[in-house]
Amino acid sequence: MAYTARPRRTTMVLATLSLGVMALTACNGDGEKDSAAPSASSSPSGVGAGKGSAAPSTSAPSDGGKADGDSAGSGGSTPQASAPAADDGQDGGVGMCETTDLSYNVTVASKPVNHALLKATNKSSDSCLLPANDLVITIPGLDGAAEHAGPEGKDWILKSGESAYAGILFARADTEGGKTADKVEIALTASESPATVPINDGPVTVNDGQVTSFFGTAEDALTY
């Protein structure tokens, strides 16, 4: 009887050990599943975070940058385009008067003595900018051009048909003698070929030569 009891006890012990091993195995399996679950869940969350961070960096800033660039470009282009227009408006696109653009009349003045009045009229169909202080008058019989007399004027736009005036001094009252002249040569600038103009009510005695700038009236031209 004693021999039969031992095998039963041994069998019970073995059975108990087997159950313990199975329990441990089951616990380890559950632990592995639990540890794997967070890694699996963390992976999608990481991908989601990556997508979320990429969205603002690729779309929002690039669209905003383009919008800012377009508005800045359109704002800057308007003043640049208007700058040349403002410069053109300062002279109105009017060219300088040339000697051949004007007709000339030189008449001996009653007052002051030994003076003549030059009247220059724009005979072209276009306005031009008259150089007021560059007038060149050459009197035959005298060396060189007449000297400038009186104050300097300002260049101004001479419209078609309008006239400008200058005074010419032929002789000084305190100087005797001289040469006789019945014409003068006129150029608006020293670089142009002169026009030969007869002296109305001439000839005149010439022993000196002076000329004023251009003025808007005959009275102003004969003041100096």
Side-chain angles (χ1 to χ4, degrees), residues 34-119:
D34 294 339
S35 63
S39 64
S41 63
S42 64
S43 176
S45 64
V47 174
K51 291 181 179 179
S53 63
S57 64
T58 56
S59 61
S62 62
D63 292 342
K66 289 180 181 179
D68 293 342
D70 294 342
S71 63
S74 62
S77 61
T78 302
Q80 292 176 357
S82 64
D87 292 340
D88 292 342
Q90 290 178 358
D91 59 10
V94 176
M96 296 297 295
C97 295
E98 297 182 359
T99 300
T100 55
D101 293 331
L102 310 184
S103 61
Y104 306 93
N105 184 285
V106 177
T107 304
V108 174
S110 58
K111 292 181 180 180
V113 296
N114 301 328
H115 280 70
L117 177 67
L118 165 63
K119 179 181 179 181

Side-chain angles (χ1 to χ4, degrees), residues 91 93-102 122 124 126-134 155-158 188-189 192:
D91 59 10
V94 176
M96 296 297 295
C97 295
E98 297 182 359
T99 300
T100 55
D101 293 331
L102 310 184
N122 184 358
S124 71
D126 298 323
S127 300
C128 60
L129 187 64
L130 180 68
N133 306 307
D134 299 330
D155 298 352
W156 80 87
I157 294 177
L158 193 65
L188 295 184
T189 63
E192 297 181 76

